[in-house]
């Protein structure tokens, strides 16, 4: 009886235990608890949830945090469930990853404030710190540097211990320093080391990080921060001057391209060609037409579109230049005022002709892949399109110098430039030289239009933006002297970019014009006057 009773008692106890086990709901884990906090609609709970989810190591952590950052994380306050809406529109349960047909009617997007947005940015950064792609690791470290969220410190320390890539390791070190600077319980030694690291970074982000520190710092740290800020300001001022110099060289290359053809025409023929800007415009529209044909018929050749457009623009603008010289200019030699008026009227005719053919609106000319993007040198940014234009300009200049020095046409042009009457008496057909010279100057202007199409709007008014500056460059450098045009273009470009931050764009141009007028009063022939040129009536 007693054994029977004991067996029954054991059976009853086992039944009670099993019933209790199935009656009590399964306890949620730390990850599920953290996700549930998003449904509380409380900024403090959301902050805790961000840190816990990011540190959990769960595969759903990155989708949840990125959805929160992009406004795709929703929570139902009634059921305390949280949902992720994917970029493809599919919905999953954030805690389990199970698919959900649709969001509950009571679900709403999880709210963020500025502090939480910084925390989210830091969490996204920390979640990509261990990415196999070095570029992504650097981007993640930079994100943590900006947000300096303390919750990312353990991940940063772990990633830093394993990192072997030198550039990535430097980015991790800077991110760790940023966190320690704002960490309340960091030691004075740690903060001083962090200040030194941030000071070495020396860019605008480092400056913003240091200036954002409060006044409640240990005296030694405060002095180090003040010294670092002063050092970074001095460093940034120096790099700002270098950046302005680069912008000046870039502008100078554009001015040189636009003016070099005018220097030849004006120097050899003495013709004030107000339609020179329209030759630049025709080169730009030639580029547009070439790209349109390639887009519609040969899209695989788009990266070669500029290489195809350069000779075509030279031929189109050069041929029109020869026609202008033969049809108009040759009847007006020795009458500069009539030449100026005639070419100005011609410029209006060419502008209207382009408006009729292509419309008055700007036309899109794309950048080939090798001219897109930018890179950094120190604290300055250099765009590939400006760099290629500078190289292209210098190449055109060198080729033109070689042509003038080593070809028969170049020899004849120099002879006519120095003494037209003597050249004619030696058997040089000056009228033919005039036509070819005008065509050459116009063709180079067409090439300038190809380059300008990459950095400016292609419109009927494109040339008008550069004609006055081109004349200033030619007169300042010395009429007919290519080296003078080169020095004049880069000098005016750099001076313009250094005056703009001080006086503004408009006042800067006015100041440049006044300085050129004063300079011409002292040196009427410009920086590099031609030697032995006959003065003709």
């Amino acid at each position: 009886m007693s054994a029977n009773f004991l067996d029954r008692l054991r059976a009853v106890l086992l039944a009670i235990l099993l019933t209790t086990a199935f009656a009590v709901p399964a306890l949620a884990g730390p990850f599920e608890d953290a996700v549930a906090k998003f449904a509380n609609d409380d900024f403090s709970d959301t902050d805790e949830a961000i840190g816990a989810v990011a540190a959990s190591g769960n595969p759903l952590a990155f989708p949840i945090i990125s959805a929160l950052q992009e406004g795709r994380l929703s929570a139902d306050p009634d059921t305390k469930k949280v949902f992720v809406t994917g970029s493809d529109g599919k919905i999953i349960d954030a805690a389990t990853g199970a698919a959900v047909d649709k969001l509950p009617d009571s679900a709403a997007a999880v709210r963020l404030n500025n502090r939480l947005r910084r925390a989210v940015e830091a969490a996204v950064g920390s979640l990509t710190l261990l990415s196999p792609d070095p570029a992504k690791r650097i981007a993640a470290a930079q994100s943590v540097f900006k947000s300096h969220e303390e919750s990312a410190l353990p991940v940063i320390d772990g990633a830093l211990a394993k990192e072997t890539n030198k550039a990535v390791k430097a980015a991790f070190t800077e991110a760790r320093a940023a966190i320690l600077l704002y960490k309340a319980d960091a030691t004075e030694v740690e903060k001083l080391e962090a200040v030194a690291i941030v000071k070495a970074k020396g860019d605008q982000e480092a400056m913003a990080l240091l200036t954002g520190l409060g006044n409640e710092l240990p005296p030694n740290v405060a002095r180090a921060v003040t010294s670092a800020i002063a050092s970074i300001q001095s460093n940034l001022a120096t790099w700002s001057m270098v950046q302005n110099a680069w912008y000046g060289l870039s502008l100078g290359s554009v001015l040189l391209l636009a003016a070099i053809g005018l220097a030849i025409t004006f120097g050899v023929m003495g013709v004030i060609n107000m339609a020179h800007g329209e030759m630049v415009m025709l080169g730009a529209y030639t580029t547009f037409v070439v790209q349109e044909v390639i887009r519609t018929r040969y899209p695989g050749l788009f990266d070669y579109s500029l290489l195809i457009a350069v000779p075509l623009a030279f031929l189109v603008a050069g041929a029109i230049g020869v026609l202008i010289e033969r049809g108009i200019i040759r009847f007006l030699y020795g009458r500069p005022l009539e030449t100026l008026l005639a070419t100005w009227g011609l410029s209006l005719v060419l502008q209207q002709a382009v408006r009729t053919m292509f419309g008055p609106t700007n036309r899109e000319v794309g950048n080939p892949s090798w001219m897109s993007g930018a890179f950094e040198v120190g604290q300055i940014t250099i765009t590939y399109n400006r760099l290629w234009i500078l190289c292209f300009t210098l190449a055109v200049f060198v080729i033109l110098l070689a042509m003038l020095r080593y070809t028969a046409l170049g020899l004849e042009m120099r002879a006519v430039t120095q003494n037209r009457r003597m050249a004619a008496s030696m058997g040089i057909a000056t009228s033919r030289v005039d036509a070819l010279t005008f065509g050459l100057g116009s063709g180079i202007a067409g090439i300038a239009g190809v380059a300008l199409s990459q950095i400016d709007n292609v419109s009927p008014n494109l040339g008008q933006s550069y004609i006055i500056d081109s004349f200033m460059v030619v007169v300042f450098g010395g009429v007919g002297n290519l080296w003078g045009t080169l020095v004049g273009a880069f000098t005016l470009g750099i001076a313009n970019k250094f005056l703009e931050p001080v006086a503004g764009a408009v006042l800067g141009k006015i100041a440049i014009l006044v300085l050129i007028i004063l300079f011409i009063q002292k040196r009427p022939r410009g920086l590099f006057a031609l030697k032995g040129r006959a003065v003709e009536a």
Side-chain angles (χ1 to χ4, degrees):
M1 286 287 294
S2 67
N4 225 359
F5 175 76
L6 287 174
D7 288 340
R8 287 179 184 177
L9 184 60
R10 284 195 198 98
V12 170
L13 288 173
L14 183 59
I16 292 170
L17 228 109
L18 289 172
T19 305
T20 305
F22 283 106
V24 176
L27 294 175
F31 176 75
E32 290 78 6
D33 290 341
V35 170
K37 288 184 178 180
F38 285 119
N40 294 341
D41 197 24
D42 181 270
F43 288 146
S44 298
D45 285 348
T46 302
D47 192 14
E48 291 177 13
I50 292 168
V53 169
S56 67
N58 192 293
L60 291 171
F62 185 78
I64 291 171
I65 301 298
S66 59
L68 179 62
Q69 187 179 42
E70 297 169 11
R72 295 184 286 103
L73 190 69
S74 305
D76 184 357
D78 297 336
T79 61
K80 300 296 182 183
K81 286 192 173 183
V82 182
F83 306 94
V84 173
T85 303
S87 53
D88 56 358
K90 294 180 180 179
I91 304 167
I92 62 169
D93 187 313
T96 63
V100 177
D101 292 334
K102 66 173 185 175
L103 289 175
D105 294 335
S106 55
V110 178
R111 297 183 304 134
L112 294 175
N113 57 18
N114 288 334
R115 181 174 61 84
L116 289 178
R117 287 188 184 92
R118 289 194 295 271
V120 169
E121 189 175 349
V124 170
S126 66
L127 286 169
T128 52
L129 284 170
L130 301 177
S131 168
D133 185 353
K136 287 185 179 179
R137 296 203 299 276
I138 290 175
Q142 290 170 344
S143 176
V144 174
F145 181 89
K146 293 176 186 176
S147 62
H148 49 79
E149 283 293 327
E150 190 176 329
S151 59
L153 185 58
V155 184
I156 285 282
D157 285 336
L160 193 55
K162 300 175 184 176
E163 189 56 59
T164 56
N165 186 294
K166 187 176 179 181
V168 180
K169 199 164 188 175
F172 284 169
T173 303
E174 290 165 357
R176 185 177 185 276
I179 295 171
L180 291 174
L181 273 177
Y182 282 81
K183 195 170 184 288
D185 57 349
T187 65
E188 185 174 316
V189 173
E190 287 177 327
K191 286 184 180 289
L192 287 172
E193 289 176 354
V195 170
I197 292 169
V198 174
K199 176 184 175 182
K201 183 176 171 64
D203 58 7
Q204 290 286 0
E205 290 177 358
M207 171 70 77
L209 190 78
L210 292 174
T211 53
L213 288 167
N215 298 322
E216 299 177 0
L217 293 171
N220 290 338
V221 177
R223 282 193 294 271
V225 168
T226 303
S227 173
I229 289 173
S231 174
I232 292 174
Q233 284 175 335
S234 174
N235 183 53
L236 290 177
T238 302
W239 280 110
S240 177
M241 293 179 65
V242 175
Q243 183 77 74
N244 283 335
W246 163 249
Y247 287 152
L249 288 175
S250 176
L251 176 60
S253 66
V254 171
L255 293 178
L256 179 60
L257 264 183
I260 195 170
L262 191 64
I264 296 172
T265 304
F266 197 20
V268 174
M269 307 172 67
V271 172
I272 302 174
N273 180 19
M274 295 301 292
H276 185 77
E278 278 53 55
M279 301 298 105
V280 175
M281 173 197 68
L282 290 175
Y285 273 98
T286 301
T287 309
F288 166 71
V289 171
V290 168
Q291 286 199 352
E292 283 298 296
V293 171
I294 287 176
R295 279 193 184 103
T296 54
R297 298 184 182 179
Y298 313 102
L301 295 177
F302 186 81
D303 276 351
Y304 304 97
S305 59
L306 295 188
L307 301 178
I308 297 170
V310 165
L312 290 178
F314 180 85
L315 291 174
V316 169
I320 292 175
V322 171
L323 291 176
I324 292 171
E325 196 280 334
R326 290 289 84 187
I328 300 173
I329 302 298
R330 74 188 184 100
F331 300 108
L332 301 174
Y333 287 132
R335 295 149 65 185
L337 182 59
E338 286 88 340
T339 305
L340 186 149
L341 292 173
T343 53
W344 179 64
L346 180 63
S347 73
L348 298 179
V349 171
L350 290 172
Q351 286 180 47
Q352 191 56 48
V354 168
R355 283 193 185 91
T356 302
M357 292 176 65
F358 297 100
T361 56
N362 296 339
R363 291 293 181 171
E364 179 188 358
V365 175
N367 293 104
S369 60
W370 48 274
M371 287 188 75
S372 302
F375 63 96
E376 291 186 357
V377 176
Q379 301 298 324
I380 69 170
T381 302
I382 296 176
T383 55
Y384 284 110
N385 58 354
R386 294 275 184 176
L387 180 61
W388 278 112
I389 288 173
L390 176 61
C391 296
F392 177 69
T393 301
L394 295 177
V396 170
F397 182 82
V398 170
I399 291 170
L400 188 58
L401 278 180
M403 190 275 293
L404 291 175
R405 186 174 181 85
Y406 298 111
T407 65
L409 176 60
L411 180 63
E412 292 176 351
M413 285 175 59
R414 286 185 287 134
V416 173
T417 301
Q418 291 176 11
N419 194 317
R420 179 179 293 272
R421 291 178 181 174
M422 181 62 73
S425 68
M426 297 297 292
I428 295 175
T430 56
S431 62
R432 180 181 66 87
V433 171
D434 287 338
L436 293 177
T437 300
F438 204 91
L440 177 63
S442 299
I444 293 173
I447 292 176
V450 178
L452 290 177
S453 69
Q454 299 299 297
I455 59 174
D456 208 340
N457 295 323
V458 177
S459 70
N461 300 321
L462 172 64
Q464 294 299 303
S465 305
Y466 295 95
I467 186 65
I468 302 301
D469 289 337
S470 298
F471 273 110
M472 285 199 297
V473 167
V474 171
V475 173
F476 176 66
V479 175
N481 191 305
L482 291 184
W483 284 106
T485 305
L486 175 73
V487 174
F490 286 123
T491 301
L492 292 183
I494 292 172
N496 233 316
K497 289 303 177 182
F498 274 96
L499 281 173
E500 275 183 12
V502 179
V506 176
L507 288 178
K509 278 192 174 293
I510 293 172
I512 292 291
L513 180 59
V514 170
L515 290 173
I516 289 177
I517 292 171
L518 294 175
F519 176 81
I520 295 301
Q521 294 296 315
K522 290 290 184 182
R523 291 180 65 92
R525 291 178 178 267
L527 281 172
F528 299 93
L530 288 176
K531 304 295 182 182
R533 184 178 180 187
V535 180
E536 300 181 40

